[in-house]
Amino acid sequence: MVCPVDLTIHLLWLTGGLVFLYFGAEWLVKGASEIALRLGISPLVVGLTVVAFGTSMPELLVCLKANSPEVVAAPAAWFGFAVDVGVASPDIAFGNIVGSNIFNIALILGVASLIRPIEVHSQLIRRELPILIVASLVFVAMMSDMVLMRWEGALLAAGVVTYVFMSVRMARGEKDIDQYEEFSEEEIEKAKQGGGRLLIDLMLIVVGIGALVVGADWLVDHGESVARVFGVPEVIISLTLFALGTSLPELATSVVAALKRQGDIITGNAIGSCIFNLLAVMGVTASVKPLQAEHIAWMDLWVMLGLAILIMPFMWSRKRINRVEGAILTAVALGYSVLVVVIDR
């Protein structure tokens, strides 16, 4: 019999974990972005690297906690928190990334374009989107045996290093970076202030990382407890609740950007985060410890890959995602969520 008190406590801890993940990512991105701008790195590079990686940090911490709990335990101790090492749950790691990429494209781009049609810059279509499709194809191919080995993880991690290096190198030749209005002139000038501001930014990074570590621990531990209470497989929790929860930074950024008519921020953030999820998060997680999927279905992988391919004609046509296309994407996200729950795992 389900104990209402125990369930309420687990749900409160779960909510606290989501809150910590959200604000941890926000503080990390803000601090790192301002430091990058102070060093003279362009908003283009910051948007494609620092912001994209920062909003993928919740996924990284959740995946490391799920697959290699001992890796998260040590940093948490630095902040005075004791993390229960527990038992590894690779399905949570896989489900978190596959689900996050599905939500990043279907839900985030869908909801944002329903608010206001999204204008898409041609560079995202020419470069970032093909990289996402190739990364998705490689990841699905690696998952043919439902195991992600260390060497495969290292290959994915090498891919994100190459991606960041090429982004920085190509950005040096960019003459017009205004299409990436990730930061206003006021924010850029603020970032270039003196040492006092630098100390604040460093504190934001440290506190942000600490919040991410603690939030990931709470989310995984109490998410597993809720799943056990209701008899729901962990993979379903990770494909839905965890995936949506760790996508909150991208969702919040996209909604605000849609209201401000900043389409490049929305598409760049969503596509860039998907790339980092596959290459950096899965790469680092598998490099630390191989992942063995037990309940991830081919349907999950095909939906993730199919959305990466589907978004290409949506963006290519008239260089925008209109409300009809946004409604289709949102419907896919909702339909997939229902399908995950009803399918017997």
Side-chain angles (χ1 to χ4, degrees):
M1 182 177 178
V2 178
C3 178
V5 175
D6 289 343
L7 179 60
T8 301
I9 292 174
H10 286 310
L11 289 175
L12 287 174
W13 281 104
L14 195 63
T15 303
L18 290 172
V19 171
F20 267 58
L21 285 176
Y22 177 80
F23 284 104
E26 286 291 303
W27 295 331
L28 176 61
V29 169
K30 181 176 178 59
S33 298
E34 291 192 0
I35 289 177
L37 291 175
R38 182 180 288 106
L39 296 175
I41 302 175
S42 73
L44 169 63
V45 179
V46 175
L48 290 175
T49 55
V50 176
V51 173
F53 183 73
T55 54
S56 292
M57 280 298 290
E59 286 89 341
L60 176 59
L61 268 297
V62 168
C63 288
L64 284 175
K65 173 65 172 67
N67 192 53
S68 308
E70 64 279 2
V71 174
V72 179
W78 302 341
F79 297 93
F81 292 91
V83 173
D84 181 17
V85 174
V87 180
S89 305
D91 272 333
I92 289 182
F94 278 122
N96 185 35
I97 293 306
V98 174
S100 290
N101 276 23
I102 290 172
F103 281 124
N104 280 348
I105 294 177
L107 186 64
I108 291 175
L109 292 182
V111 169
S113 56
L114 283 175
I115 296 174
R116 183 172 284 116
I118 302 173
E119 300 295 332
V120 182
H121 195 270
S122 57
Q123 175 181 308
L124 288 170
I125 302 173
R126 292 195 314 266
R127 193 172 72 191
E128 267 63 49
L129 196 51
I131 290 174
L132 173 60
I133 293 175
V134 170
S136 300
L137 284 168
V138 170
F139 178 72
V140 170
M142 288 179 172
M143 288 295 294
S144 60
D145 57 356
M146 288 299 169
V147 179
L148 203 60
M149 302 300 294
R150 273 199 176 93
W151 71 267
E152 292 172 322
L155 186 62
L156 292 174
V160 78
V161 172
T162 303
Y163 169 68
V164 171
F165 174 78
M166 293 303 297
S167 294
V168 173
R169 184 173 180 178
M170 293 179 71
R172 290 176 179 174
E174 294 284 345
K175 300 300 182 183
D176 180 16
I177 62 173
D178 291 336
Q179 68 266 27
Y180 285 86
E181 298 175 347
E182 185 74 43
F183 306 95
S184 65
E185 289 297 327
E186 180 182 353
E187 289 174 312
I188 295 175
E189 289 303 317
K190 184 179 179 181
K192 294 180 179 179
Q193 292 177 6
R197 186 67 202 179
L198 175 61
L199 182 60
I200 293 175
D201 291 334
L202 289 174
M203 287 298 298
L204 282 173
I205 292 174
V206 172
V207 175
I209 292 174
L212 287 171
V213 171
V214 175
D217 178 54
W218 291 355
L219 186 68
V220 174
D221 284 349
H222 295 279
E224 289 175 338
S225 298
V226 172
R228 285 194 295 269
V229 167
F230 288 103
V232 179
E234 292 173 351
V235 66
I236 293 180
I237 297 293
S238 64
L239 282 167
T240 54
L241 179 61
F242 288 4
L244 180 59
T246 54
S247 293
L248 284 177
E250 290 93 336
L251 181 59
T253 300
S254 296
V255 169
V256 172
L259 295 174
K260 293 182 178 180
R261 299 178 183 271
Q262 295 176 323
D264 282 342
I265 295 178
I266 301 169
T267 52
N269 186 29
I271 301 302
S273 293
C274 286
I275 293 172
F276 272 87
N277 282 346
L278 291 174
L279 299 181
V281 178
M282 279 285 90
V284 171
T285 303
S287 296
V288 173
K289 181 181 177 182
L291 290 110
Q292 170 75 56
E294 295 182 4
H295 300 290
I296 292 293
W298 275 105
M299 179 199 73
D300 306 317
L301 298 174
W302 288 125
V303 170
M304 182 193 73
L305 177 60
L307 280 170
I309 296 174
L310 175 65
I311 201 67
M312 173 69 87
F314 282 7
M315 289 185 174
W316 191 274
S317 61
R318 300 180 299 278
K319 302 294 188 296
R320 69 194 312 226
I321 303 176
N322 58 41
R323 284 193 172 92
V324 173
E325 293 164 335
I328 293 173
L329 291 173
T330 305
V332 170
L334 297 176
Y336 171 75
S337 299
V338 173
L339 200 57
V340 165
V341 174
V342 299
I343 288 180
D344 183 15
R345 298 282 176 142

